[in-house]
DNA sequence: TATTGTTATACTCTATAACTATA
DNA sequence: TATAGTTATAGAGTATAACAATA
């Protein structure tokens, strides 16, 4: 795949950074399109995107304290209060005081919450943009983005 | 770190959608990291992310009417007013009434605006996440995301 | 003293609707 | 009537700082 694109003479790195720039811009454009599609699906579930993502990050089989949810969402603790308020009003999550440490409240996904969470997961795990890729291309893509995400945040990409 | 069940040959179509789900989630995670890095750089230029992206979309060699900028940013016309206000206050852009149609205002990037725009472009065209990819991997990645973006929005991906 | 969840508050970003001045 | 830009306004999302309860 290495052509000799001699754009500026004597700049072997020029091609790489051009390639990188194009790849980055396209990744961001793709992510923006995917995000819009996801938000459309999520809105139809009666949730706002941020609330849906909070539900998505909750593990139905392992209740989390609110602080940990904030860490997973990479946002401040103070935001979690309102997000969980709305999940609780919708009957999707319950707050329970942790008897071991009464400061903490663990977030328990209800039965209804599990059902909705599956729908959220589905909305966040598909994209029409992949339809044109062959199985092999999809496999290559996955390998490449895995390599990238390992570099970005090892502990996060290793989780789950 | 759990070992992922890797089914290579003879996998039914369950594998494709699993692969797709993993790829999508990683792409979104990568885009989120890139966005955060970009916003850090952009903030150091004294701009907010949305203002910087407006400047980025302006073509210094071909002044646009505000309506066209809104289309490129995929947002409502009403937002452009405040964005251009801030660019104009910073001396990076000038509004000029189009003599041919006095309703329109064309947005002209100033000399100072060109300089800042180059910095914005640089911030938006690089990422540390690509550092671990070989030249060939980067080239493959570019080809794959190009194929994806062609499917998403042909006329946009052809632009620039 | 330190930490958890909460509240109050402010800023950014974006959308809708109504206004104005042109066409 | 229709369009370009603007204004007013509202809502979502996120951050900082201060507070009460608990450790």
């Amino acid at each position: 795949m290495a052509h000799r694109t001699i754009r500026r003479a004597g700049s072997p790195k020029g091609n790489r950074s051009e390639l990188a720039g194009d790849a980055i811009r396209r990744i961001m454009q793709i992510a923006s399109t995917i995000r819009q599609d996801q938000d459309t699906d999520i809105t139809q579930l009666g949730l706002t995107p941020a609330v849906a993502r909070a539900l998505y990050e909750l593990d139905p089989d392992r209740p989390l304290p609110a602080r940990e949810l904030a860490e997973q969402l990479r946002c401040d603790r103070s935001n979690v209060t309102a997000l969980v308020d709305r999940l609780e009003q919708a009957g999707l999550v319950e707050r329970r005081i942790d008897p071991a440490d009464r400061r903490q409240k663990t977030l328990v996904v209800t039965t209804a919450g599990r059902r909705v969470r599956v729908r959220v997961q589905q909305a966040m795990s598909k994209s029409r943009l992949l339809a044109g890729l062959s199985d092999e291309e999809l496999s290559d893509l996955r390998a490449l983005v895995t390599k990238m995400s390992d570099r970005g945040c090892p502990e996060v990409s290793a989780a789950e």
Side-chain angles (χ1 to χ4, degrees), chain A residues 17-87:
Chain A
S17 86
E18 261 181 51
L19 214 56
D22 189 51
I24 293 298
R25 287 189 296 271
R26 285 182 192 274
I27 286 170
M28 297 311 282
Q29 184 212 314
I30 286 166
S32 167
T33 301
I34 293 173
R35 173 68 75 114
Q36 278 184 288
D37 291 345
Q38 288 179 351
D39 288 357
T40 300
D41 287 358
I42 283 169
T43 300
Q44 287 170 350
L45 296 177
L47 302 174
T48 67
V51 172
R53 283 182 182 95
L55 178 59
Y56 175 71
E57 293 295 339
L58 290 175
D59 186 340
D61 298 320
R62 199 177 68 87
L64 296 178
R67 180 187 55 75
E68 274 190 50
L69 177 58
E71 283 167 9
Q72 288 198 330
L73 291 172
R74 291 185 208 167
C75 74
D76 193 83
R77 289 196 313 259
S78 60
N79 298 306
V80 171
T81 300
L83 296 175
V84 175
D85 279 350
R86 286 196 270 174
L87 287 171

Side-chain angles (χ1 to χ4, degrees), chain A residues 8-157:
Chain A
R8 283 195 184 181
S11 122
K13 214 173 176 189
N15 193 33
R16 166 134 186 149
S17 86
E18 261 181 51
L19 214 56
D22 189 51
I24 293 298
R25 287 189 296 271
R26 285 182 192 274
I27 286 170
M28 297 311 282
Q29 184 212 314
I30 286 166
S32 167
T33 301
I34 293 173
R35 173 68 75 114
Q36 278 184 288
D37 291 345
Q38 288 179 351
D39 288 357
T40 300
D41 287 358
I42 283 169
T43 300
Q44 287 170 350
L45 296 177
L47 302 174
T48 67
V51 172
R53 283 182 182 95
L55 178 59
Y56 175 71
E57 293 295 339
L58 290 175
D59 186 340
D61 298 320
R62 199 177 68 87
L64 296 178
R67 180 187 55 75
E68 274 190 50
L69 177 58
E71 283 167 9
Q72 288 198 330
L73 291 172
R74 291 185 208 167
C75 74
D76 193 83
R77 289 196 313 259
S78 60
N79 298 306
V80 171
T81 300
L83 296 175
V84 175
D85 279 350
R86 286 196 270 174
L87 287 171
E88 203 169 30
Q89 282 159 20
L92 306 179
V93 164
E94 282 176 19
R95 285 173 164 106
R96 293 197 192 146
I97 292 175
D98 180 354
D101 180 348
R102 292 181 50 78
R103 291 174 302 180
Q104 290 193 23
K105 297 184 186 169
T106 54
L107 307 174
V108 182
V109 180
T110 65
T111 306
R114 283 173 194 250
R115 276 198 299 270
V116 176
R117 186 173 174 278
V118 170
R119 310 277 305 270
V120 172
Q121 262 181 319
Q122 285 167 351
M124 295 181 66
S125 303
K126 66 181 170 62
S127 169
R128 62 192 163 87
L129 300 189
L130 293 176
L133 302 189
S134 70
D135 287 355
E136 194 188 352
E137 286 171 330
L138 176 56
S139 180
D140 289 349
L141 177 68
R142 203 271 288 259
L144 290 167
V145 296
T146 299
K147 202 162 181 180
M148 284 181 74
S149 56
D150 283 348
R151 177 160 288 257
C153 220
E155 70 284 358
V156 167
S157 56

